[in-house]
Amino acid sequence: MNRRWLSAAFTTALTAAILAASARPAAALDAGDFLKVSGSVLKNESGTGETVGLRGTNLGGWLAQEDWMSPLGEFALVRTGWTATASAGNAALALDGDDTTRWTTGTPMNGSEWLRVDLGAISRFNRVTWNYTDFAGGDYARAFHVEVSLNGSTWTTVSTGAGSATSTVTTADFAPVTARYVRVNQTGSAAGDWWSVGEFNVFNDDASFNRSQWTASASGGVDISYMIDGDVATRWKSGADQTPGMWVQLDLGARMTINNVTLDTAKNDAAEGDYPRGYTVQLSDDGFTWAQVASGAGTVKATNISFPPAAGRYVRITQTGAGDKWWSIGELKVALNKDDYGLQLALDQRFGASGGQAIRDAHEDTWITEADFDNLAAMGLNYVRLPIGWTTLLNTDGSWRSDPWSRIDWAVEELSSRGIYTLLDLHTVPGGGCPWGSCGRIGPNPNGFWGTSDYQDWVEDIWEAIATRYEGNPAIAGYDLINEPLLDFNEDADDVAQKSAYYDRLYDAVRAIDPDHVIVMGAFFGYSAIAPPATYGWTNVVYELHPYDMPHGADWNAQNQLVTDQLNALPGLLANPGVPVLFGEYSLYYYDDVWARWMAGINARQQSWSSWSYKVRGTDADGQGYWGLYYNRPAPVPVINSDGSATFVKKLQRFATSTFTQNERLVATVAKYAGGLSTFNPIAIGRTAWTATASGTGGSGTLSGGIDGNSTTKWNSGADQVPGQWYQIDLGATQTIAMVTVQTPAASATTDYMRGYRLEFSTNGSTWTTVGAGIGFGWKRSISVTPQSARYVRITQTGTSTYWWSIDEVTMYSSY
């Protein structure tokens, strides 16, 4: 299999540009590459040939969208009933959903311009945006203040600021307010530029959903306030068996835009069975005139109800079924969720099936192209996990799309031609297989999939179709049946049994058609969350783990300990239950050394890994620079319920990978281990001859405190962090340097870390080469570099903070 990987001479700490130039062409996959399980490893030649460790990444955000990483878009307030006026011009053009039209002042800005929008009803919101995306770069507000009013005559300022020549969208964030009118006043001057607004939007983000402003009522029953007290263990009870016409109602205190209602009860409580046997959801602005937005049947314990965005002050859920159970609600919530299912519902409602598909096509044709497959091949990766949303294959009613396979087939063929396997990952399932947006639908535990037999039938149909289509295809590494299946954050034996039984149902369905491909089972959050293979007689299976420690992303110790724990546990897992392990998703944040140790450790056991993810639109400012091999595309995303089709498409087409930033160090580190390298052995450079200088030193710090190997000493800047502060080390002689770590003293680990850095090398102390730059992230920053010779090392602080910059220790390594 070495023909598919870069030679070792080329994989050691090279930049992606060198990798691309140096990669040997990969041979296309053929029948001899068919993978099967052999003991605790994968082997080609249908399990009889060479051992193969799968090493790759996820093509996330392509066929299954997530709002934080891909341009899924965002929901604004529904504009129904809005009117706009302005100091001049046709203000209605700011609300037409078309970025190619604009409201404009028609004259240069002089500080007297304004745009006012009547929302049609008293509403709650916390953010407004306006853009000039398709017009001249000078048409932004030089200064502004945003005012709100209940009556259109008495105004309160909620935000002040200025637009920017580098951003086509101006955003004003503020604490949630209740108002009917919004006015933006342009208060700056620009001799030659008009003020233009292509589109104006208002948002009620999570902060606006303050339940203390809600009141609940019902047609009967007791303990009404318990529905919104934040405690699922307390509950409203109908006090009588369910009959049609029972209702509960929320007054949100103001009109809000929502697309979700959830009804939840306590786990393992008798109330789990008190779900509505049928329901309708209606919204109203006045409590008298109602519009229905959803209907259906409830599910055991938790009922998750999604619908296209709609606006109202009052929300009424009416029970339409009959049964011998009371109707009980532990918690009643409403939300405006940004998830793949919500996107699809909105597209279908606004543009119809063909129009919605055209928008999906624009995204999918842009997000991944042949050039992306070339990037993967240049890194020496031999496998891709391909997350697929169920809405890629099915319509929301469960019927099959007219062309569900073309992009999957294309990806499999293109990757195979480059010697890269594809793991087909059903990343989202109808109703949601976990409570997060990553599973396609935000919701409660358990989410809707686990209590809805139709949804479970649909997924069985999907896997039968996949097995039929790809049976015998050697380019397919296997079938990943359900991404991150989770019934509860604290799954008990019954939950695990239910999940495992459904896995067995899918296993049997696939095996009846395809007896040979590997089947991947999600062990989420660990092997205790799935039955051992012997329980059901599963063979040729791989168990998948997703080792994340998201709450402690900024702590090097926590990420390093995560790796230690996972690698220490791996031998035991390979012995019992004795099947191969796929570490299918992970991110180890900004720690190059931890990434390297992780991949080396997995390779040493001949197991498989795939980082999350290939590309993300987030930036270093969001802490997302190490979530993607490509990142940093802060372009405007679609406003799902406001943008017209042409504007929607145009925004999506701005997210080609060529517009992103390559994370060169992450790419180089991953590429180093893509060929199977199984060692991580950092060699520290001795400090004996080192001396330090700095832009300044203060307090109890000393110049030598940052290089003396003593954790009780330190250097610090003696002043709040500002760009340009520096700390410089003379190594005493020229050395080869492959990695530099900068560590903050433990006592000030959360405050005195550098907010940004530029790392420079020099052989003579006067001519400098920048070898790395980025954000500070937590108390210890490990920075890998292309190995090169230097005698002098300078770390320049490039961020701003009200805390000093302190260094406990700088360590350098000649290799790792």
Side-chain angles (χ1 to χ4, degrees):
M1 299 299 291
N2 288 338
R3 67 184 185 274
R4 297 187 190 92
W5 301 323
L6 301 174
S7 66
F10 288 129
T11 58
T12 303
L14 295 176
T15 64
I18 297 174
L19 284 169
S22 306
R24 293 184 295 167
L29 298 171
D30 56 33
D33 296 303
F34 199 99
L35 296 178
K36 294 187 76 171
V37 170
S38 176
S40 60
V41 297
L42 294 172
K43 291 185 178 182
N44 59 17
E45 300 287 356
S46 296
T48 65
E50 299 176 351
T51 297
V52 177
L54 298 174
R55 295 180 281 273
T57 191
N58 286 263
L59 290 186
W62 183 39
L63 302 182
Q65 288 215 53
E66 296 180 47
D67 76 291
W68 69 275
M69 60 173 298
S70 60
L72 181 152
E74 58 183 344
F75 292 107
L77 298 195
V78 171
R79 286 172 166 174
T80 303
W82 289 17
T83 57
T85 54
S87 53
N90 183 2
L93 295 175
L95 302 178
D96 66 356
D98 186 351
D99 269 355
T100 66
T101 66
R102 60 174 168 167
W103 165 76
T104 184
T105 58
T107 58
M109 287 175 270
N110 62 25
S112 64
E113 300 83 13
W114 54 268
L115 175 67
R116 188 179 88 162
V117 176
D118 177 356
L119 305 180
I122 294 173
S123 304
R124 185 171 300 116
F125 52 94
N126 63 289
R127 176 167 59 102
V128 299
T129 67
W130 58 95
N131 67 33
Y132 62 98
T133 304
D134 282 352
F135 298 97
D139 282 12
Y140 61 92
R142 294 309 193 266
F144 66 82
H145 63 263
V146 177
E147 300 174 300
V148 300
S149 173
L150 287 168
N151 55 21
S153 57
T154 302
W155 295 88
T156 301
T157 298
V158 294
S159 179
T160 60
S164 170
T166 61
S167 175
T168 59
V169 178
T170 301
T171 300
D173 292 294
F174 40 87
V177 296
T178 300
R180 174 170 173 167
Y181 301 89
V182 185
R183 184 168 66 193
V184 181
N185 299 282
Q186 200 292 126
T187 58
S189 298
D193 294 314
W194 303 353
W195 181 31
S196 297
V197 174
E199 286 297 304
F200 181 88
N201 282 288
V202 183
F203 300 84
N204 51 218
D205 301 315
D206 290 347
S208 291
F209 288 81
N210 183 349
R211 303 175 84 204
S212 68
Q213 297 172 315
W214 301 359
T215 56
S217 57
S219 56
V222 295
D223 300 324
I224 292 172
S225 64
Y226 285 170
M227 283 191 292
I228 54 173
D229 67 352
D231 184 358
V232 74
T234 64
R235 57 186 170 116
W236 165 81
K237 303 171 284 290
S238 64
D241 291 346
Q242 293 184 40
T243 56
M246 295 175 170
W247 55 264
V248 297
Q249 182 172 307
L250 288 180
D251 177 356
L252 304 179
R255 180 202 267 177
M256 298 189 70
T257 295
I258 64 173
N259 66 354
N260 182 261
V261 173
T262 61
L263 317 175
D264 204 356
T265 54
K267 180 179 176 65
N268 294 333
D269 186 273
E272 281 191 331
D274 290 357
Y275 58 91
R277 278 11 189 209
Y279 65 78
T280 62
V281 178
Q282 298 170 297
L283 302 185
S284 173
D285 281 334
D286 57 12
F288 297 100
T289 302
W290 296 88
Q292 182 170 311
V293 295
S295 63
T299 51
V300 172
K301 184 185 179 298
T303 298
N304 191 11
I305 307 167
S306 299
F307 43 88
R313 171 173 173 168
Y314 300 90
V315 183
R316 176 177 286 182
I317 302 95
T318 301
Q319 206 290 126
T320 60
D324 58 359
K325 294 278 190 179
W326 291 2
W327 184 20
S328 298
I329 300 174
E331 283 297 296
L332 172 58
K333 299 178 181 179
V334 301
L336 183 59
N337 291 332
K338 294 183 291 185
D339 54 34
D340 194 65
Y341 184 54
L343 168 67
Q344 191 58 55
L345 290 176
L347 292 180
D348 287 349
Q349 181 198 54
R350 296 193 64 209
F351 305 113
S354 61
Q357 186 60 53
I359 289 172
R360 292 177 66 102
D361 289 345
H363 165 67
E364 292 168 3
D365 288 345
T366 303
W367 190 254
I368 295 295
T369 68
E370 287 188 25
D372 296 298
F373 301 138
D374 290 339
N375 292 340
L376 297 169
M379 292 176 62
L381 301 175
N382 70 346
Y383 131 83
V384 159
R385 183 170 178 254
L386 179 57
I388 302 167
W390 72 274
T391 54
T392 298
L393 304 169
L394 304 183
N395 296 305
T396 56
D397 64 359
S399 61
W400 281 88
R401 289 187 177 275
S402 60
D403 182 20
W405 304 108
S406 58
R407 284 181 176 79
I408 302 171
D409 288 348
W410 171 73
V412 170
E413 181 178 352
E414 290 290 334
L415 290 165
S416 177
S417 71
R418 293 162 174 81
I420 299 173
Y421 290 101
T422 300
L423 175 66
L424 300 179
D425 158 39
L426 190 59
H427 205 71
T428 72
V429 295
C434 78
W436 304 299
S438 59
C439 289
R441 187 189 191 194
I442 297 169
N445 262 328
N447 215 335
F449 174 76
W450 298 105
T452 308
S453 60
D454 283 348
Y455 292 163
Q456 293 173 13
D457 292 344
W458 296 358
V459 169
E460 184 177 0
D461 291 344
I462 286 172
W463 278 114
E464 288 175 339
I466 290 173
T468 299
R469 191 171 192 86
Y470 297 107
E471 189 269 334
N473 189 333
I476 300 299
Y479 304 140
D480 191 345
L481 298 182
I482 304 177
N483 173 63
E484 297 186 350
L486 188 71
L487 277 75
D488 191 81
F489 292 121
N490 296 296
E491 288 182 327
D492 58 24
D494 290 341
D495 296 326
V496 173
Q498 179 184 349
K499 183 191 338 184
S500 299
Y502 185 71
Y503 259 137
D504 186 54
R505 175 179 167 185
L506 294 183
Y507 175 91
D508 289 343
V510 170
R511 284 287 176 253
I513 298 167
D514 184 344
D516 295 319
H517 267 118
V518 170
I519 291 179
V520 178
M521 309 280 199
F524 193 76
F525 296 117
Y527 278 40
S528 63
I530 188 171
T535 301
Y536 291 98
W538 297 336
T539 60
N540 198 29
V541 297
V542 169
Y543 276 15
E544 180 177 358
L545 296 170
H546 291 182
Y548 290 114
D549 185 357
M550 296 180 187
H552 304 103
D555 184 353
W556 182 94
N557 278 341
Q559 299 304 312
N560 193 53
Q561 188 63 50
L562 172 67
V563 167
T564 296
D565 292 345
Q566 294 290 323
L567 294 180
N568 285 348
L570 187 52
L573 299 179
L574 296 176
N576 182 22
V579 299
V581 179
L582 166 64
F583 295 97
E585 291 183 23
Y586 55 86
S587 174
L588 298 165
Y589 297 87
Y590 287 76
Y591 312 118
D592 294 349
D593 54 345
V594 180
W595 280 86
R597 188 166 78 90
W598 171 240
M599 291 179 288
I602 302 172
N603 289 350
R605 295 288 178 178
Q606 299 180 302
Q607 299 305 302
S608 301
W609 49 262
S610 48
S611 65
W612 188 273
S613 177
Y614 172 68
K615 62 188 282 191
V616 297
R617 65 181 178 87
T619 68
D620 277 333
D622 307 320
Q624 292 182 18
Y626 269 67
W627 280 93
L629 300 167
Y630 293 82
Y631 74 109
N632 189 33
R633 184 59 174 131
V637 298
V639 181
I640 299 168
N641 54 335
S642 297
D643 286 344
S645 177
T647 296
F648 216 122
V649 166
K650 186 175 293 185
K651 287 183 176 180
L652 293 173
Q653 290 173 337
R654 296 188 177 110
F655 287 88
T657 306
S658 59
T659 67
F660 285 58
T661 300
Q662 184 192 66
N663 185 330
E664 294 182 359
R665 294 321 312 157
L666 181 58
V667 166
T669 302
V670 171
K672 179 175 181 176
Y673 291 93
L677 181 65
S678 60
T679 58
F680 174 71
N681 184 29
I683 306 299
I685 299 172
R687 295 187 174 94
T688 304
W690 292 12
T691 58
T693 55
S695 56
T697 302
S700 58
T702 63
L703 287 171
S704 63
I707 57 172
D708 61 3
N710 185 344
S711 62
T712 65
T713 62
K714 63 183 176 183
W715 168 83
N716 60 51
S717 61
D720 292 348
Q721 292 185 44
V722 294
Q725 295 162 328
W726 53 268
Y727 187 74
Q728 182 175 313
I729 302 167
D730 177 357
L731 306 184
T734 299
Q735 303 278 359
T736 298
I737 306 173
M739 185 179 293
V740 177
T741 63
V742 183
Q743 184 170 317
T744 307
S748 53
T750 61
T751 57
D752 287 8
Y753 63 92
M754 57 188 181
R755 296 314 195 259
Y757 74 87
R758 182 174 64 253
L759 180 64
E760 298 169 291
F761 289 176
S762 174
T763 57
N764 57 19
S766 58
T767 303
W768 294 89
T769 299
T770 298
V771 297
I775 63 168
F777 192 81
W779 65 274
K780 184 175 180 179
R781 188 72 156 86
S782 53
I783 308 162
S784 67
V785 300
T786 302
Q788 55 197 277
S789 297
R791 172 172 172 171
Y792 300 90
V793 175
R794 184 166 65 195
I795 306 155
T796 300
Q797 204 288 124
T798 59
T800 302
S801 172
T802 56
Y803 293 97
W804 291 5
W805 176 27
S806 298
I807 296 177
D808 170 40
E809 212 62 55
V810 176
T811 306
M812 302 185 208
Y813 301 89
S814 59
S815 63
Y816 65 93

